Amino acid sequence: MIEQSSPQPLSQSLFDDPDCGGSAARPIRVGGKWTAMVLRCLEDGTPRRFTELRVPLHWITPKVLTETLRAMERDGFLTRTVHDENPPRVEYALTALGRSLIEPLDTACDWARAHAPAITEARASYEQAGPVA
């Protein structure tokens, strides 16, 4: 019989390394539900108004889109420019930091396309088996 060693327990400080996702710099919003879609809407470099973003993102409530845009602005991924007009015109555009996310996003999308059949099959198997009690 082969003796298996016990795995090392996970450390409470696993994510404390400031050079690798430490809590102060971790870009939590990169994984936000709508962030990637907002990145796609702004990737061509054209500043967009809120109402323009709402066209392709029509299923997102205005409140959630506003929260997503604020979080992305806070994290330095986009700028919000208010033009002094009546009514005020507000435009959103990606920063250099935000644009730097396009290539990794493209890679993730390529991976998802390549593995879509396996993911679909796994989901179907899971649904057919039902949740584990």
Side-chain angles (χ1 to χ4, degrees), residues 72-132:
M72 290 177 72
E73 181 182 15
R74 182 203 68 212
D75 290 343
F77 299 152
L78 59 77
T79 58
R80 178 180 184 269
T81 303
V82 180
H83 297 274
D84 189 22
E85 298 174 359
N86 194 7
R89 180 170 50 100
V90 178
E91 293 179 324
Y92 299 90
L94 290 181
T95 62
L97 183 60
R99 283 190 303 279
S100 74
L101 289 169
I102 298 300
E103 186 176 340
L105 179 60
D106 288 343
T107 301
C109 289
D110 290 343
W111 181 92
R113 277 189 288 278
H115 294 87
I119 294 168
T120 300
E121 183 179 317
R123 288 177 178 170
S125 295
Y126 179 87
E127 293 300 323
Q128 188 174 26
V132 178

Side-chain angles (χ1 to χ4, degrees), residues 8-74:
Q8 291 290 332
L10 293 174
S11 169
Q12 183 176 0
S13 62
L14 181 64
F15 297 107
D16 288 350
D17 181 357
D19 295 328
C20 189
S23 61
R26 185 179 22 216
I28 294 170
R29 300 294 173 212
V30 171
K33 187 172 183 177
W34 307 113
T35 301
M37 292 181 190
V38 172
L39 286 169
R40 284 290 183 225
C41 292
L42 297 172
E43 74 179 319
D44 71 355
T46 304
R48 303 286 181 180
R49 297 179 73 171
F50 187 88
T51 53
E52 290 178 280
L53 295 171
R54 291 272 300 139
V55 172
L57 303 173
H58 56 91
W59 57 85
I60 304 173
T61 65
K63 177 182 184 254
V64 171
L65 181 55
T66 297
E67 290 169 353
T68 299
L69 292 168
R70 284 182 184 160
M72 290 177 72
E73 181 182 15
R74 182 203 68 212

